[in-house]
């Protein structure tokens, strides 16, 4: 339980740090880079290396690379939907998460499983 | 690690001499509960990634390391802030908020290529080198790749997303 709380605090802090960095930077397209910062990755990989070893963390990082490709598809679709359609950002980004899950699952099934 | 990242950001910005500006007053525009939501969401995703890895193994759990934890909240906030700005100026119906969120998404798409590089570097180098060094190197690589791609996007050869 203590480890989970520690993970929660570290993850929350790193995500908030990168999000705040994105808030203060201009222009918007540059600030957007920080929307894809390796925040959860940094928090998890550092803690996983300590608790489960380097190889375990390396395997997680390989999956992370595949999921980053899914994130690319998700971000491109969100950008296009926001530009062309009349949907609000919250609706677009939340519904779009199904794309991230679907592409991640396909990549996991095809390349990693 | 954070210092290394900040140094890389500053150096990359200086070398590239881009028109990137820092607006610290934007921190005060974000309300406390908006920070709290992002903190809670980030912490929750990190915990879920750990729990999935414990139950189903690191291959499936690792996918959550590239979960879009920041982007949905940031895009929503950007849209909201732009809409509020226009409303204060007396413009009630505007596309500006959505366009700003779309630009944020475009930037995030560029950042994901750096994120892919981050994962590959940790995958290859972590078993061989010191883990802290690997994470610093991978974060610097993410920053450099993202900034370079952001600059490159201005090129005529760059495809429009």
């Amino acid at each position: 339980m203590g480890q989970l709380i520690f993970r929660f605090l570290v993850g929350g802090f790193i995500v908030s740090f990168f999000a705040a960095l994105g808030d203060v930077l201009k222009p918007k397209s540059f600030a957007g880079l920080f929307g894809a910062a390796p925040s959860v990755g940094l928090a998890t990989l550092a803690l996983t290396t300590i608790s489960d070893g380097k190889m375990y963390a390396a395997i997680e990082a390989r999956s992370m690379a595949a999921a980053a490709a899914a994130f690319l598809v998700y971000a491109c679709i969100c950008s296009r939907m926001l530009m062309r359609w009349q949907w609000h950002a919250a609706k677009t980004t939340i519904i779009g998460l199904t794309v991230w899950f679907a592409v991640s699952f396909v990549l996991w099934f095809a390349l990693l499983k | 690690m954070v210092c290394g990242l900040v140094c890389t950001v500053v150096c990359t910005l200086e070398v590239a001499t881009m028109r990137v500006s820092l607006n610290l007053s934007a921190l005060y525009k974000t309300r406390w509960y908006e920070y709290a939501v992002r903190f809670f969401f980030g912490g929750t995703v990190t915990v879920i990634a750990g729990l999935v890895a414990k139950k189903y193994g690191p291959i499936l759990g690792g996918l959550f390391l590239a979960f879009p934890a920041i982007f949905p909240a940031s895009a929503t906030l950007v849209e909201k802030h732009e809409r509020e700005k226009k409303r204060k100026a007396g413009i009630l119906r505007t596309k500006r908020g959505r366009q700003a969120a779309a630009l944020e998404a475009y930037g995030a798409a560029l950042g994901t290529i750096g994120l892919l590089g981050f994962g590959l570097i940790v995958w290859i180098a972590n078993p061989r080198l010191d883990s802290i060094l690997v994470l610093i190197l991978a974060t610097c690589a993410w920053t450099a790749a993202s900034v370079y791609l952001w600059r490159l996007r201005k090129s005529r050869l760059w495809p429009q997303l």
Side-chain angles (χ1 to χ4, degrees), chain A residues 1-58:
Chain A
M1 191 63 191
Q3 201 192 19
L4 286 181
I5 292 169
F6 188 64
R7 265 181 191 271
F8 180 84
L9 293 175
V10 172
F13 174 76
I14 296 179
V15 166
S16 300
F17 171 76
F18 278 107
L21 212 53
D23 282 349
V24 296
L25 287 166
K26 276 185 173 180
K28 291 278 182 288
S29 60
F30 186 80
L33 295 175
F34 291 87
S39 47
V40 179
L42 271 174
T44 306
L45 289 169
L47 295 172
T48 303
T49 302
I50 295 165
S51 61
D52 298 294
K54 288 178 166 191
M55 277 310 293
Y56 193 95

Side-chain angles (χ1 to χ4, degrees), chain B residues 40-152:
Chain B
F40 179 79
F41 197 58
T44 305
V45 172
T46 310
V47 168
I48 289 172
L51 291 175
V52 171
K54 278 272 179 286
K55 191 158 176 65
Y56 300 104
I59 298 176
L60 203 60
L63 293 175
F64 286 87
L65 273 53
F67 184 82
I70 301 173
F71 169 66
S74 294
T76 307
L77 282 183
V78 162
E79 186 194 37
K80 190 181 155 199
H81 290 166
E82 285 294 327
R83 226 180 319 130
E84 278 174 3
K85 209 193 293 179
K86 287 286 164 188
R87 199 172 52 207
K88 279 179 187 167
I91 304 164
L92 295 178
R93 287 181 66 83
T94 176
K95 286 182 186 172
R96 186 66 180 268
R98 247 189 352 264
Q99 286 170 342
L103 276 176
E104 181 100 2
Y106 187 86
L110 298 175
T112 57
I113 299 167
L115 192 64
L116 201 149
F118 177 96
L120 291 176
I121 287 172
V122 178
W123 174 39
I124 293 164
N126 203 39
R128 297 173 180 85
L129 300 171
D130 180 66
S131 295
I132 299 295
L133 179 70
V134 171
L135 287 177
I136 291 170
L137 278 176
T139 308
C140 291
W142 169 79
T143 311
S146 301
V147 172
Y148 180 73
L149 285 168
W150 183 78
R151 272 181 62 79
L152 192 69

Side-chain angles (χ1 to χ4, degrees), chain A residues 71 73-100, chain B residues 68 71-73 75-76 79 83 97-99 101-106:
Chain A
F71 195 165
V73 176
Y74 162 71
C76 289
I77 287 174
C78 284
S79 179
R80 206 162 188 83
M81 282 163 78
L82 286 163
M83 276 291 190
R84 303 280 163 103
W85 297 4
Q86 302 294 310
W87 286 16
H88 286 294
K91 188 179 173 185
T92 307
T93 53
I94 290 167
I95 290 176
L97 283 175
T98 53
V99 173
W100 180 83
Chain B
F71 169 66
T76 307
E79 186 194 37
R83 226 180 319 130
R98 247 189 352 264
Q99 286 170 342
L103 276 176
E104 181 100 2
Y106 187 86

